[in-house]
Amino acid sequence: MNTVSKTPTPIQYRIEPFDPAGHRFRVHLKVEQPDAGGQCFALPAWIPGSYLIRDFARQIETISARCHGAAVALRKLDDHRWQADAAEGPLELEYTVYAWDLSVRGAHLDESHGFFNGTSVFLQVVGQEDRPCLVDIAAPAGINGWKVHTSLPEARGLPGCARRHGFGCYLAPDYDALIDHPVEMGTPLVARFDAHGAEHEIVFTGLVPQLDLSRIIDDVRRICETQIAFFEPDTRRAPFLDSARRYVFLVQVTGDGYGGLEHRASTALLVSRNDLPVLGETEQSDGYRSFLGLVSHEYFHTWHVKRIKPAAFVPYVLDRPAHTRLLWVFEGFTSYYDDLMLLRAGVISETNYFKLLGKTLHVVHNGTGRFKQSVAQSSFDAWTRYYKQDENSVNAISSYYTKGSLVALALDLHLRNASGGKKSLDDVMRLLWKRYGREFYRGLARGIPEDAMPALVQEATGIDATAEIAAWTEGTEDLPLPQLFAAQGFQAGPAAAGSAPSLDIRTRASSDGAGIAAVQEGGAAHHGGLSAQDLIIAADGLRIASVDALNAMLARRRAGDVVRFHVFRRDELRQFTVTLNPAQPGNWTISKLAGPAA
Ligand code: ZN
């Protein structure tokens, strides 16, 4: 919707990395026509794609307002909003933002680089969200050679327009767009490539000696082309061309980071240095496969959740949680297709694809939380449960990511089985794209109603899967995957258990014992009285100095053995007797049955 006049005056922002050593951005904001009754300003409480209230406004250190050079009083209304006194004429705000959060969700600044999401730094001018936003990105004083990397389009034709990768003015059509193009500035390693004629950039911040950039570009290009052709088999038109001139992967490399956040024409990724391939390396490491999986996942979101959205996200309400029972569609289906697209793009082997799938099957079938919470409930409760996990989560919740990806797998197999191979989940995705996604930023912004999926599946495939979808997404029983696989000529099930017996715990490394991170409900440790946060220091009178020592002890025992454990709980020495369980099943294996291949 856009009800403002044809050429509305833009909101003007200027952001300057003015104190890199102290990690502070300074932002100047000018509103030409403020609300005569006292203009209100707000910072989002959360960032789309990451469903947790983060209170970004707490990082605003100082803030002041002026009109025609005279100070205007600002009053804090709540955790996220300020209101200025009534002013006659343009209102100018100046504020500083502390930026020392090296995640994909926040803002980060030092002498080597700057990164920000608009949700951390750009105040919303309440009531004027539909106006264009002109952003002047300023260079840091006294530091030379930095460049700007973002999918935010340069303000072509306007005074002060930035050159490609330059400081200067950029233009967003509205506030929703402004906060959906993160910005990286500094001296990163940059590579570009085209996928079906659309320009892409990969920007690596952080040192990676000997990085094999051409191998990465080759693999990522194939992933992008496969996904573009999947959604638009006829035109091969990249989705982001409705919002930007190019797609940008902003990659922050650290020692052990992992994560990503999707945007309409870019993504911010946090990856581990050791997961990236170096020159001369020919093997494909597990870490590199997980990097490619992350790339594939966030890129898939360009269609699915950035354009195809639940109605609950149209528009985003950013001052409080936005609840939907459909995250199993948006994160689950995306998690199903991320690795599948690696296989279809030919960047991983079928053997490795089934290995990844077998691991997910194992993770989902491990723990009793899956019997207590459906994926629809998991979606709705993302804000307080999935995003606030603790030691009991394995016993209490299911994941709309992993279980959601298995719902996608089950639905895909069911549709293939019921149609004799003529229809699949691919047909559903293409219908969602056509109906809800393709025109989203071209004036037809609407989302999928909460109860619409069964009808959409039927429309796309002719198959009524209402009962299956209800059972698999609102119910808590295990999905009938072995049967669905068998109908496609595959055998699927957990691998045989190992020989060492099990305590049924998750361990945590400790310098003076074996820490217990989590205890599985109904397992050996639970029955024996051991608890999360206990520190195991001895078994049957012999020292347990580490997790390795605990595992070595277990390897020499058998299921049914009774072991006396000494642990510290709240610094008090306690003793528990535990009867060991048989080993837990391993990752699932999926193999072709003899006979016709799927
Ligand atoms: Zn995701």
Side-chain angles (χ1 to χ4, degrees), residues 434-469:
K434 215 172 94 187
R435 178 73 44 83
Y436 292 98
R438 195 187 271 153
E439 306 298 325
F440 190 88
Y441 292 122
R442 300 177 190 280
L444 198 65
R446 56 184 181 146
I448 301 180
E450 292 287 292
D451 56 358
M453 281 308 291
L456 287 163
V457 169
Q458 182 157 16
E459 183 182 345
T461 64
I463 295 162
D464 181 2
T466 308
E468 286 79 5
I469 291 171

Side-chain angles (χ1 to χ4, degrees), residues 262 297-298 301 331 334 401:
E262 65 275 7
H297 182 100
E298 303 306 342
H301 274 318
E331 290 300 346
T334 301
Y401 280 92

